[in-house]
Each structure stands twice: as C-alpha cells, then as structure tokens.
Amino acid sequence: MSRGGGSLSGALPGLLAALTYLFLYAPILVLVALSFNASRLSASWGGFTLSWYAKAATNPAILASLRNSLVVALATTVIATAAATAAALAFHRHRFRRQAALEGLLTLPTVAPEIVLAASLLLLFAAAGLRLGFLTVILAHVSFTVSYAFVVVRARIAGFDHSLEEAAMDLGAGPVRTFLLVTLPGIFPAVMAAALLVFALSIDDYVVTSFVAGVGATTLPLQIYSMVKSGVSPEINAVSAVILLATALLLLAAFLLEQGRSVRLAAAPAVLGFAVLGAPFVTTGGPAPAPDRVLNLFIWSNYVAPETLARFEARHGVKVNVDLYDSNEALLAKLQAGNAGYDVICPSDYSVEVLLAQGLLRPLDHSALPHLANVDPSFLDRAYDPGNAHSAPYFWGTSGIAYSRRRVAETPDSWGALWDPRYRGRILMLDDAREVLGAALKWRGHSQNTRDARLLAAARDDLVRQKPLVRAYNSTNFEDILLSGDVWLAQAWNGQIARAMAQDPDIGYVLPREGSTLFIDNLAIPRDARHPELAHAFIDFTLEAEVAAEICRTMRYSSPNRAAWPLLPPDVRANPAIFPPPEALGRLELIRDLGDATILYDRLWTEVKSE
Ligand code: N2P
C-alpha cells in the first residue's frame, strides 16, 4: 500500500471518531453556550451574561426543588449504598447455592426498561396505600440505584483479603470492631465510588420520579421539565448546565476510585461537585421555610399567572405548590392512580363527568363559595355537573385555527385548511385525542362525540393522510411555535393565541365554519384532598370579580365571570378570539364523556400517532 493510502486510511477512523464525539457533545456545548447568552432567544447571540445563573439561584421554585433533590439523593445514597455493601460482602464471604443466578438477579434492574420499573413502582405504592411524596420517591430511587451500587462494590472488593478479618477476630476484636477497623477501611474506596454513583443517578432521575412523586416532592429534573412546559427560559439552560457540571464531577470522583486511585485524589472533584449543588443555598440563604399551610394546585399550563397565586399566598399566609398538565387525559391518569395529594384541580367539562362517575371528586360546600354568584348562569348547572355540586367554572374557551395572516392568503375558515398540501410541514395540531379526532370528524360534518366506529375509522384515516403535512403535535406552547414562524397554521386553544395576537398582529384566529369545541374548565376538589378548607378558599378567591378579571387579563382565556367583564380592558373585552360573537357560539359543541367508547378514541389516536 502506498504511503498516501496509508495515511488516508489512518485519518479516516480519526475523523469518524471526532465526528462521533462532536455528535455526542454538541448538544451539551450548545446548552452551556446558551446559558451565557444575554438574549432570551436561542436563535441570536446577545452577548455574554451570568444573569441567568443569578436568576436561577434566586428562583424560589428552583431552590425548593433543588433542596428536595438533595434530600432525596442523600437519603437514597445512604440506604442504597449500605444495602449494596452488605449484599456485596455477603456474596464475597459466603458461597450460596445458585450464587451466579442470585447475583444476576441483583444486577438485572440496571438493564430493565426504566418506564416499566416506574409504572410497577407506582402500582406497588398504590396497592400499599402509600401517599405519593418524599418517601415514595426515596424508596423508588433506592430500588433502581441499589443494583448499580452493588455492581461497583462487588467488583472492587473482589481483591479484599478476607483473612485479615479472621486475623482481627483471632486477636480478640468483636464483629463491630472488625468491621469498623478492618473491613470498612479495606473496602472504603469501593463504597465511596458506589455512593457517588448513586447520588449522581438519583439527582438526575426524571422518568421514575415523575411517576412516584407526589405534590411537594418536586425534584429539580421535574421542576425543569415543568418550566419547559410553560415556555423555555434561558434560566433552564443555566440550571441544566449546573446539574451537568455537578454530576460530571461526582462521576469523575467515582471513576477515579473505581480505577483504584487514591481517595485523596478523588476527593477534589467530589467536594467540588457537592459545592456546586450547595452554592445557591450559601449565596442566597436558601428558600424561605415552608409554611405549615400549603395548597397543592394541579392546573393546565398557561392558566394562572404567578402574581395571582402570590396574592392568594399573601392573603392567607400559605404557600401554593403548582403542578401543570396539558391534557385532560394526563389529569385523569394522575388522579386515577390515587394519592396524588392535590387540593384543587382544573378538569374540563367531560373530565368532570369522568371523575364524578369514579367518585373521585369531593362535593363543594356552596356556603364557602359566596362568589359563585358572579358566574354567568349560562355556564352553570350544565349536564356534566348538575347544580355545580362538584365544580365551579374557571375559564371557558374554544378550539379553532390560528394562522399567520402573511403566510396564509385566504382566511382558513374550514378544518380542511389543515389538510391543504400547500402548507406541508407548516401545520401544527394539538396533542390531544379528543380534539384532533374531533376536528377530523367536524370537517366531515359529524359530531365530535360520535360513537360510530365507521365514522371514527374514517377520521383516523384522514388524520393518517394529514400526517406528512404536520410539523408537530403540541398542546403546550403552540402559540410560541406559531410566533416563531415555524408553523403557519395551528389547531389551537384560543387564550394562548389571544396572547400571541397581542404580541404580533400577524396572528389571526378563526372558528371553522363546520364548528368546533367549546370547553368549560372548572376548579374542583379531589376526594382525597388534604386541605379542603383552603381549597374552597382558593376557588372562591378565583371567583371574586377583581381576581377573575386579573386571571382573564393575564391568561386571555374567556372568563365565565359576569362580574369581571366590566373590569376587563377594552382590547380583551372586544377581542372576538376571547369573546366570540353569538352567531359563532352556535357552532360550538362541548366534548362529552363517552364511557366505554373512550377506548376507541384512545386506540385510534394511538394508531394515528404511531403510524
Ligand atoms: C391551557 C389549555 C386550555 C385548556 N393550556 C383546554 N381545555
């Protein structure tokens, strides 16, 4: 082979390796770079700043969740490391029948799918009647980290000379003394390596935690995810960069110990890693101590402004914990699993029906809700909750088509516009079974509450045909995607679009001529709420004219509160996207609970999504 060919074939693997590393690390580099970007927009560089770090370090929600993460990770580390060390020593010292199989069983969870583990832990806790919270998160973390810790300790103590223990015992040391003075020092690096690994795994975990965390036990990864849902802020980049740095340092320390390097050498990255995580508490004094009275609120994203919650907190001297969701199905799943710990939830019309049928709602005490009288009678006493015995209207609104006037020439006043091949790749649909199948049904002139399997199958086929045109299914921040210009037409809920319109007059909103969804979203109290009195106080607070007006003004969904209407700014009151004219209202239909037929909708929706 010629020299030239040799150097080419020598360079190729190097190039491939470099590309692989780039592929692996580019996202992280982008994240870290953006965490120093003065501009809010990731698309443009606005100069170097540390302000996102400062903002994150003083954000009470981030601090509280970081503290929760540290408590969970420390407890998990102690328990999982102790258990794994005990198991590793036992396997090292004694011979068991079926030793290999037993050891294998202990390490198997490291390769088990995390989602399966998460779901089975949730089922176990529900069966045991455990309320979801700190305890369940810690138990869950122990259960998935103990295997990793076992692998690390087991590998490193293989060389530990068991006869030293015997010598100590012969010289008269008791078992405790022997363990503390001989065994532990001998295996210390292995134990520390395992502990650091467990800590890093626990502080990072999202999937398992999201299943088993109750309210008040929100960890940092859950907090980050919930912040992403209500709009990506560069603060998140800063927090993510900090977690990344801390876990990298802890894993480096674990690695050094596993490689047999000195404890002193490994101590430096370990101490630095903990310092990075603890720094916000030193610089800011940490989060304010939790008041004894808390209200746990589970509500749609983009449905309540922080200032409104702050007003309630100040008035009642309480803390409001908020968790967010973006579909009725997510709300139902969380409540049906049991013990979610929420005091107030915000189900839509048909979900009230589902929850009522399952006995999951607590009857409302109307004497504690004097401001319910502010609600316009047209939103009261609807079929989904006669007499409003279990729910009080919070917002109402519509689903329609939002669009960029510049990009879409003629007003898209038919659902058919979302099937127009001219807009391939520029169409967004809600990520919502009932809404999306509903739009396809309406387009063909049918009710969105049909149980007719034939009509539903046709709707599914229409949606499968539409898929190549669809850029994204999104129920969270569809208005941002429209504003960014990535999509030109979006099936959307009105309020977030009304907010986008206030930012950019290019955005339009129409209720298709074939009709669409009217929704009435309500506050309600779960049967197992722990703070029912405070829950009533919160619901009544939102019904006060002033407060209802603030909620509508900030979030721009439609207010059912008649007393609030005169208090709204004219641009809100007169915006037909928020308060549609009566003739448009006639074309709207509520989604109804379809009982057993719901399964059909779920199945067809899964088919569309997985096509
Ligand atoms: C809020 C979505 C509106 C709720 N993000 C639709 N029922």
Side-chain angles (χ1 to χ4, degrees):
M1 191 189 288
S2 78
R3 278 179 71 99
S7 74
L8 182 66
S9 61
L12 198 60
L15 185 69
L16 279 179
L19 283 176
T20 309
Y21 277 99
L22 188 69
F23 179 70
L24 284 179
Y25 288 98
I28 294 180
L29 292 177
V30 171
L31 173 103
V32 173
L34 286 179
S35 72
F36 297 113
N37 183 4
S39 162
R40 206 161 232 296
L41 302 171
S42 45
S44 63
W45 179 256
F48 180 88
T49 181
L50 286 176
S51 67
W52 302 119
Y53 287 86
K55 259 189 103 180
T58 48
N59 178 328
I62 292 182
L63 284 177
S65 63
L66 175 59
R67 188 183 51 186
N68 291 346
S69 277
L70 289 173
V71 169
V72 168
L74 285 172
T76 303
T77 304
V78 171
I79 302 170
T81 313
T85 305
L89 280 174
F91 278 115
H92 181 56
R93 280 194 198 144
H94 310 289
R95 291 281 148 251
F96 300 100
R97 263 161 39 97
R98 313 225 189 292
Q99 174 121 358
L102 284 176
E103 287 201 39
L105 268 183
L106 210 48
T107 52
L108 197 60
T110 54
V111 291
E114 211 186 349
I115 194 94
V116 174
L117 183 69
S120 56
L121 282 164
L122 179 62
L123 284 177
L124 175 73
F125 294 146
L130 279 182
R131 191 179 277 282
L132 299 183
F134 268 109
L135 179 65
T136 50
V137 177
I138 293 170
L139 289 175
H141 281 207
V142 167
S143 93
F144 78 82
T145 54
V146 81
S147 308
Y148 291 91
F150 174 76
V151 173
V152 172
V153 181
R154 183 78 178 100
R156 280 281 290 143
I157 64 172
F160 174 65
D161 187 355
H162 182 37
S163 60
L164 287 177
E165 289 173 327
E166 278 160 14
M169 300 271 230
D170 286 346
L171 291 173
V176 177
R177 247 169 97 88
T178 306
F179 179 76
L180 289 179
L181 296 179
V182 178
T183 319
L184 198 54
I187 63 171
F188 186 68
V191 175
M192 279 314 289
L196 291 167
L197 178 65
V198 169
F199 188 90
L201 287 171
S202 164
I203 207 104
D204 253 359
D205 180 73
Y206 177 80
V207 176
V208 171
T209 317
S210 71
F211 274 68
V212 300
V215 67
T218 301
T219 61
L220 193 52
L222 298 194
Q223 177 64 30
I224 291 178
Y225 185 61
S226 119
M227 287 172 69
V228 172
K229 278 212 261 180
S230 36
V232 185
S233 135
E235 255 178 289
I236 297 170
N237 302 337
V239 183
S240 308
V242 168
I243 306 200
L244 191 73
L245 178 65
T247 38
L249 285 165
L250 296 177
L251 291 175
L252 172 65
F255 174 77
L256 290 173
L257 289 169
E258 275 180 78
Q259 295 297 306
R261 311 297 283 267
S262 78
V263 173
R264 191 165 300 176
L265 181 71
V271 169
L272 214 59
F274 286 117
V276 166
L277 288 174
F281 297 106
V282 181
T283 51
T284 64
D292 347 320
R293 290 217 308 159
V294 290
L295 178 85
N296 298 317
L297 173 65
F298 196 32
I299 192 166
W300 291 89
S301 64
N302 293 296
Y303 245 32
V304 65
E307 61 252 42
T308 306
L309 297 177
R311 278 225 267 166
F312 181 76
E313 289 180 327
R315 190 189 298 178
H316 289 267
V318 298
K319 166 96 185 74
V320 180
N321 293 321
V322 193
D323 282 345
L324 305 174
Y325 54 84
D326 288 299
S327 72
N328 280 294
E329 290 62 36
L331 164 69
L332 294 174
K334 195 86 191 178
L335 281 167
Q336 286 161 356
N339 288 322
Y342 295 111
D343 298 309
V344 175
I345 55 173
C346 186
S348 301
D349 32 66
Y350 72 99
S351 305
V352 173
E353 260 175 307
V354 175
L355 292 168
L356 265 179
Q358 297 177 345
L360 290 172
L361 294 182
R362 186 186 173 101
L364 292 181
D365 174 2
H366 280 215
S367 71
L369 303 174
H371 293 96
L372 189 57
N374 284 341
V375 174
D376 188 78
S378 62
F379 297 101
L380 294 173
D381 196 24
R382 306 289 293 235
Y384 60 81
D385 182 23
N388 287 86
H390 294 82
S391 69
Y394 177 78
F395 264 145
W396 68 279
T398 58
S399 323
I401 301 178
Y403 65 106
S404 156
R405 297 176 199 275
R406 231 170 344 113
R407 310 284 198 170
V408 179
E410 57 272 31
T411 312
D413 67 346
S414 160
W415 287 117
L418 300 178
W419 272 262
D420 187 334
R422 282 181 294 165
Y423 304 120
R424 170 183 275 272
R426 297 293 178 182
I427 291 169
L428 178 146
M429 297 296 283
L430 291 171
D431 189 3
D432 188 296
R434 295 297 306 267
E435 291 283 9
V436 175
L437 281 160
L441 287 164
K442 285 271 177 207
W443 179 33
R444 301 294 189 186
H446 310 302
S447 162
Q448 62 196 5
N449 292 313
T450 187
R451 294 164 197 259
D452 184 326
R454 225 167 17 89
L455 297 183
L456 277 162
R460 179 220 30 222
D461 294 343
D462 276 335
L463 292 168
V464 168
R465 237 176 0 92
Q466 183 206 26
K467 256 192 113 172
L469 312 182
V470 175
R471 174 69 159 261
Y473 295 91
N474 179 308
S475 298
T476 311
N477 60 338
F478 46 85
E479 76 285 15
D480 289 333
I481 303 177
L482 188 65
L483 277 173
S484 75
D486 275 356
V487 302
W488 302 344
L489 285 158
Q491 182 192 26
W493 287 312
N494 64 325
Q496 280 152 266
I497 296 305
R499 279 167 77 184
M501 288 168 127
Q503 280 179 53
D504 184 349
D506 177 48
I507 307 290
Y509 181 74
V510 272
L511 295 175
R513 57 171 188 262
E514 300 93 355
S516 65
T517 310
L518 165 82
F519 57 80
I520 305 176
D521 293 347
N522 308 272
L523 296 186
I525 307 180
R527 157 92 44 199
D528 61 2
R530 269 175 293 173
H531 311 102
E533 240 172 79
L534 198 55
H536 279 91
F538 181 77
I539 296 176
D540 195 56
F541 167 78
T542 66
L543 292 166
E544 287 175 22
E546 282 270 343
V547 178
E550 176 179 273
I551 295 173
C552 176
R553 185 165 44 75
T554 49
M555 295 294 120
R556 311 240 158 169
Y557 279 95
S558 324
S559 178
N561 195 302
R562 195 168 39 170
W565 293 342
L567 308 178
L568 292 171
D571 62 318
V572 172
R573 191 68 191 102
N575 185 343
I578 307 178
F579 293 100
E583 67 272 14
L585 286 180
R587 299 199 301 271
L588 303 175
E589 187 186 15
L590 283 177
I591 296 177
R592 298 299 310 262
D593 170 29
L594 299 174
D596 292 344
T598 307
I599 302 172
L600 190 55
Y601 278 76
D602 287 346
R603 203 187 64 222
L604 295 171
W605 176 236
T606 310
E607 285 172 15
V608 171
K609 290 291 285 286
S610 58
E611 187 40 56

